[in-house]
Amino acid sequence: MSAQRIRDLSPNSQVEGRYLVLRKELRQGGRAGFFLDLTLCDSTGRVPAKVWENASAISERFQQGDVVEVTGVAETYRDELQLRLTNLRPLSPEEIDPTEFLPRSDKDLDALERRLADLVKSVGNTHLRELLLALFRDQDFRRSVCTAPAAKALHHSYIGGLLEHTVEVAELCEKVAELFPQLDRDLLLAGAILHDIGKLDELSWQTAFDYTDQGHLLGHLVLGDRRVRQEADGIEGFPEELKLLLSHLILSHHGVYEYGSPKLPMTAEAIALHHAEDLDAKVNLFLGQIGQARDQGRRWTERHFLLGRPLYVGPSDEAEASAPDAD
Amino acid sequence: MSAQRIRDLSPNSQVEGRYLVLRKELRQGGRAGFFLDLTLCDSTGRVPAKVWENASAISERFQQGDVVEVTGVAETYRDELQLRLTNLRPLSPEEIDPTEFLPRSDKDLDALERRLADLVKSVGNTHLRELLLALFRDQDFRRSVCTAPAAKALHHSYIGGLLEHTVEVAELCEKVAELFPQLDRDLLLAGAILHDIGKLDELSWQTAFDYTDQGHLLGHLVLGDRRVRQEADGIEGFPEELKLLLSHLILSHHGVYEYGSPKLPMTAEAIALHHAEDLDAKVNLFLGQIGQARDQGRRWTERHFLLGRPLYVGPSDEAEASAPDAD
Amino acid sequence: MSAQRIRDLSPNSQVEGRYLVLRKELRQGGRAGFFLDLTLCDSTGRVPAKVWENASAISERFQQGDVVEVTGVAETYRDELQLRLTNLRPLSPEEIDPTEFLPRSDKDLDALERRLADLVKSVGNTHLRELLLALFRDQDFRRSVCTAPAAKALHHSYIGGLLEHTVEVAELCEKVAELFPQLDRDLLLAGAILHDIGKLDELSWQTAFDYTDQGHLLGHLVLGDRRVRQEADGIEGFPEELKLLLSHLILSHHGVYEYGSPKLPMTAEAIALHHAEDLDAKVNLFLGQIGQARDQGRRWTERHFLLGRPLYVGPSDEAEASAPDAD
Amino acid sequence: MSAQRIRDLSPNSQVEGRYLVLRKELRQGGRAGFFLDLTLCDSTGRVPAKVWENASAISERFQQGDVVEVTGVAETYRDELQLRLTNLRPLSPEEIDPTEFLPRSDKDLDALERRLADLVKSVGNTHLRELLLALFRDQDFRRSVCTAPAAKALHHSYIGGLLEHTVEVAELCEKVAELFPQLDRDLLLAGAILHDIGKLDELSWQTAFDYTDQGHLLGHLVLGDRRVRQEADGIEGFPEELKLLLSHLILSHHGVYEYGSPKLPMTAEAIALHHAEDLDAKVNLFLGQIGQARDQGRRWTERHFLLGRPLYVGPSDEAEASAPDAD
Amino acid sequence: MSAQRIRDLSPNSQVEGRYLVLRKELRQGGRAGFFLDLTLCDSTGRVPAKVWENASAISERFQQGDVVEVTGVAETYRDELQLRLTNLRPLSPEEIDPTEFLPRSDKDLDALERRLADLVKSVGNTHLRELLLALFRDQDFRRSVCTAPAAKALHHSYIGGLLEHTVEVAELCEKVAELFPQLDRDLLLAGAILHDIGKLDELSWQTAFDYTDQGHLLGHLVLGDRRVRQEADGIEGFPEELKLLLSHLILSHHGVYEYGSPKLPMTAEAIALHHAEDLDAKVNLFLGQIGQARDQGRRWTERHFLLGRPLYVGPSDEAEASAPDAD
Amino acid sequence: MSAQRIRDLSPNSQVEGRYLVLRKELRQGGRAGFFLDLTLCDSTGRVPAKVWENASAISERFQQGDVVEVTGVAETYRDELQLRLTNLRPLSPEEIDPTEFLPRSDKDLDALERRLADLVKSVGNTHLRELLLALFRDQDFRRSVCTAPAAKALHHSYIGGLLEHTVEVAELCEKVAELFPQLDRDLLLAGAILHDIGKLDELSWQTAFDYTDQGHLLGHLVLGDRRVRQEADGIEGFPEELKLLLSHLILSHHGVYEYGSPKLPMTAEAIALHHAEDLDAKVNLFLGQIGQARDQGRRWTERHFLLGRPLYVGPSDEAEASAPDAD
């Protein structure tokens, strides 16, 4: 069977493929009284799908979060692609890894991982470098850091998003440390690398991106601080003040109380990390929103529920707006 | 007369020097019924001063904002240095330039000016580069950019502060453009260079840092947009959309309505510029506050009226906290 | 063909008319698998409409924003009128002006235009009167001022709304200037007349009320200031301070940062204009909401999304509540 | 004894006069160990005063809030006038009415009282007019309305301020009712006249402007509603709905919860009253602040603690800024 | 006819019962073109219901708020129970009391009423006890207190809710008075008993929970204060200060302006009452939300629109989490 | 030497006593050119003091935070008591414990400690009781809990304040658990006892109440969670979910982000604890402010910087306001 990626589907064609079921609802309607209303995804995108025939019976076979093998046709409905499925069978987790079907970073994750390793090595302070190396020595930890999303939604919410975000923030902090030599570069860099490490415990990303119980009840700031603290406590001679400053970096990195920082940044490194982190998250969010709207041929995005404003996409051909110098 | 810099004054010694009068008050008190209570400054710092004898007569001779030549002694009062002046005579602006007595950037301003020129040249888009070159071609404009403070108080509020802030923001934006190739680097860089250009009209910095009337009534966002718009209107073929996006960058760079942006950032370049600008201003503010408190031998700064928190200065000898790797 | 106005439609009758298509959606449902779900309007109101037969084919013929000629029947659905269309054909902009189909002020717009001209003439200050006359000398400008809505939604969002709002605000300001003789009546009046002039560039009102690109990215405060500034720059001898105060009136008229004023009102005229403008907009909004609910026979409006409260409509016969004196 | 008004005092002259003691403090200092630091006022202004000789003994003789007869000299201290008192004796309330020494409206209060009576008579609705007439029939009530300040501080905080504010708000509401014929003019006017009637119970203005206990604990909205309600309950046939709408006008006139309105305006009359009231209070506040700063020869007011901004006063000679038409 | 309680309905069974119609909509759809979409309730819960046959005709027979006698079958739809009705006939208010069909407190209301009477008797202060007794002497008042809900929605929004809330708050205040002997226990207790008495006038609960006109326009704080004030005015010798303090307790009990308190708590009793009231309302709300989600087998509640967060329900078997001591 | 307690000092008498120096400043003034301006305290109150003679020399002998033995006279200055010291000698920490001189709870701390022990024993859940017992087994921990203040300022800011606050909150929670049987009483009680345990690490109270470095940088929520977590990790079989819920109680007990809770309360126990804690702190704060103002003979407190309102103290003789029943 020649499986099709969602990005490559075209209207009015036959479809065969394997997709993850993001959403599943049995709804009243259609000729048969019931139909199945689904959202399917793979790493290249998402598509709505309907099962009009035999919906109740088919519904019994699988659950949200399953990967399913389907056949059907692609139709256009209100200017968007939609699948009309005629057949659907679930695959077991043994047959297939659901994580592969989740949205995934466009970047070269191996290159990012190497870049992160270099950043770790560039930390001059013995204690901090030892701490970072100790954490990354653990294979599970490293694999988690390289696959986790950086958020359930909004920014970097895709497989590899945490790695991407971490490297970007660390690179920005490197630049900031270069501009302001008074800053403790090593401390700032260690903070940048570890600031979102609590996401590993806050989120789950096996068959969908969601919060864990401890994610909801404690949050990634406290969870990240716990991990780092525990590791540092195991390192002989790690100075108490350094532990304190590192914990402060992690616990204050949201910058304001409103976003769940129990403390406001009180050191120059903490304020730098907060702003670098915010810059990176917001630019990623904006580019994601704008890119999506551009793919839909729109000139403005919808008013974003959190940003409270639409974003400008611009004319399809932007060449004119910012033409590179001809000579 | 061997003039002494304020930074070099020591207690219980004779003082001869030339200083700018930042504050002047004739107060009731002392044996003679009145005394003069002054704050003097030069580019290296500020010092309180008193005239106990003949205060009323001396008070007639000069005004706040004058540069004065003084003799007296340096005393200690409540652990701080204070001058007891016995003689004081004002100098005319022809004799001496008051700007030289204002606080001044520590950085090499000539190097920063060259760096700014390089950044301008690196803008690839013909229209934007032409716009920047046209502005900087004007000697007065360039001199103003290189001497203006970036704010009346808080961050970069010293001679050369605008230049320092502009170059830092532009360098951060360069890094951001490198991390996010989807961004229009030229537009972002031009926005970074021009974002605070309205400060030239908003502030005056001849004998003190203050707001102009139009600074108060219109603000540097609108004033900056006017300057840039006017220049761009004079360049043939400058695309309308590009003007619009550049104006948006300037008008939205405070990021939120609360700080006087009439529009929230609606492009990825605008959100990047806002955060880069905020990062730079805040780190500068933090480092300034912390440095000042460290000079006073304190472990924490006072609770800052705007930040609503004290900042951590740390133990005098920080060597231990973040020791560089010995090997 | 005897066209029917929407206000005059009655249930269970034949309908022939020409209406503007405000909203158009091809939806899944009905016996034929698809139906067209429309909102039609003319200057007297709006009405939902459905096309149940041949929907896909008919959908191809026209777009949102077109004026269409329809035949069908008026039915009642959930206590509201709804059209079931059997025929629909689009008219070209040459045949018919879509603007005539948009909601329109109830007021006598010619009388309002004359009133505005009188207000302009009543401005005693030479410079300000010259400025106003210069702007209104332009036929296009005057026509725009007399047709533009004052907002996309909420208050005075109908053809002629800007004119209505402008005259009302100017009349209120006249009264305020009478109560407070210390105010500069001419400046206040000029500010009242020009405060929303940027709406001409912020909004488009050809086939619907919407924001322009520059409306979104710059806003009507900055756009209005630009127009006024440009005109004033062309008048010889126009005092700089007067330009400054007029710009301040326009840029601060939203009164608070939260609504996009880059500056808070800092003159007595500016605070008066802000409050007069707000009063007029809010009373218009309240009366509109209450009138609409009264037409639907309701005693309370729905909780308004922006006002966060329902409004009191009162019993249908209000005679008793506030009976005029019988003698 | 030829008493001098504070406005007429000139430096370096003998002073004889009667003033109200607004503030009194016995402080450590001066040659005698103690001195009296006073603020005196009469209806034309305020002036600081000192008693350097025999301060302790003199201090025993009188209290804050007393009217005192003084002799001394007027001196200049830090550019402001200050009295050096040599003699001081308190007057009993029988000898003199302290209220005459409080700041007082510049307006012709008798004319305002007649204007208010006309406004009352213009109310067409029988019930509302009867209510207003019943209230004003009471001599004490009328006298209170005509002397009370409208606030302890900020706007209209002088004898006659409530009357001035009430008439201004009522006149604005008349204009609003003329612009919007859908409004119930009689209800709006009655609301305007009665909106601040609770100030009579909230404030005391015998020897200073202060809050009463019930003013602090209940506030003038509830207190005003009680008065009006009680009066309306005594009028036969007063419609319940009308009572309700009038109470709502009073209780919601601050417009937002933050200023102590237990309910947001929910009728068009209520929103109109709120904005008219706010406009009048704010313009009065601005003009007061600006006038005071102009008298001190300043170009900008200080940043106002509540407004959070300085206000523009302008150049001393404003002739140029807004020159009346010469022809 | 054996009527079934909603709590006892099971899927795929015949249904006969009497229910209150909470919501009624005639909607387009189904084979017949129209169907009735209803929400029914009795004191044990609510259930959606549909009438697919003859919907238009049946719709004419009854209104929202009626109690109806129905027959049909219970089906499962999207995991929830739903009724398919074949017959429906309205009952007149004479036949049946709609209040019995509204949600109802689980508690023993008679016991709560006795507890409240005891709390009243425990008030030692003569005036306050007399006031309470006078109010409760009125049969209608007592019956209202014992049936009213404490709110339209959110907390204690069921028949008997006000009684439940009042007793809980009074008991908490008793405890607080015990912990802080400086508090005036009698005043605090009287305040606790009377704080929400205005709900009797603010809400209607005959056939649904809704606001009255005066509820919307004046609110239960002002309405409660009026009732209490009127009663206290009728008691000879009731001290004015005590009236004032009691009014203050009622008017400030929401604690902050944002929730419609015209005054912030300014006495220790007022701050205690506010917090006790808030605690009780919030715990009731949380337990209600959690209980409902647990019944649906969920581990977390939905994000609550007002609380802005999901609530933790926990694993179905909580035994392990908090095991009672085995010994 | 017969030492006098500050509460017992009377004007115009000789003073001999031992006090803690809370504040010390060498100021310019007095006949000798300098004087010492001090604030002294013991557990019964504070008093300002001056050293007029030989101030510079005496100033060398001691520091802020020292306990000093003084002789002098008590005078009245601006209606307040003030000491004029003639002699002053510091005592070493060996001679005397500075903690005894800090403000101290009025309550019987031994009785409170026993009450706390009883509350601990009443916890039924094995794991939670074991955790509490383990913590309190440590003598240092118990001594700290019994002496620490509950805050640097505002509420319970005196020796024994934490114990007092903890017992009060626990008793309130007991009552809440009684009113709402659905709550997990043991969990709630354990949370109440441990909620502020982080104060032991956040504050120092040796010679004054202040924040520690980790108090500033991490805060007592995170610090308390660490202590509890560490102890629970050492108890075999302590259920993970129970740890999670207990951590959540501690981390969310400030209830809102604005006060530094990294998480909002998401369980019924957490919301109950938050409100009980807030109630107790606020009532303590109000009673403290009111008591202090009553001691000064005032009818209203000053407007409190944090509460933004004055508090009502009432007439000196309150007997009438709330007279107990005579029969």
Side-chain angles (χ1 to χ4, degrees), chain A residues 124-125 129 171 175 180 184 241-242 264-267 275 278 280 282 286 309 311-312 315 321-323 325, chain B residues 124-126 129 171 175 180 184 241-242 264-267 275 278 280 282 286 309 312 315 321-323 325:
Chain A
N125 179 286
R129 199 177 56 231
E171 297 218 7
K175 183 77 193 175
F180 295 96
D184 183 334
E241 198 205 5
L242 194 54
L264 303 180
M266 291 173 167
T267 63
H275 282 291
D278 203 9
D280 187 63
K282 289 297 187 337
F286 269 55
R309 73 196 93 162
L311 304 182
Y312 181 67
S322 180
D325 192 359
Chain B
N125 178 287
T126 330
R129 198 178 56 232
E171 296 218 6
K175 183 76 194 175
F180 295 96
D184 183 334
E241 198 206 5
L242 194 54
L264 303 181
M266 292 174 165
T267 64
H275 281 291
D278 204 8
D280 187 63
K282 289 297 186 338
F286 269 54
R309 75 196 91 162
Y312 181 67
S322 179
D325 192 357

Side-chain angles (χ1 to χ4, degrees), chain D residues 65-85:
Chain D
D66 282 353
V67 175
V68 292
E69 197 166 76
V70 306
T71 54
V73 294
E75 301 176 334
T76 313
Y77 172 53
R78 292 203 216 176
D79 301 337
E80 292 190 30
L81 210 73
Q82 175 178 287
L83 306 188
R84 173 188 291 261
L85 303 182

Side-chain angles (χ1 to χ4, degrees), chain E residues 112 115-120 122-123 132 136 162-178 185-196 272-273 276-277 280, chain F residues 172 175 179:
Chain E
L112 282 172
R115 182 75 191 98
L116 184 58
D118 288 346
L119 285 162
V120 166
S122 84
V123 171
L132 290 165
F136 280 92
L162 180 62
L163 179 61
E164 204 180 306
H165 177 55
T166 300
V167 169
E168 286 162 6
V169 173
E171 296 218 8
L172 277 171
C173 284
E174 250 197 324
K175 184 75 193 175
V176 173
E178 187 192 314
R185 179 198 178 274
D186 292 342
L187 178 60
L188 178 55
L189 211 58
I193 294 169
L194 297 174
H195 80 280
D196 259 356
L273 175 57
E277 203 268 345
D280 187 64
Chain F
L172 277 171
K175 184 75 195 175
L179 289 171

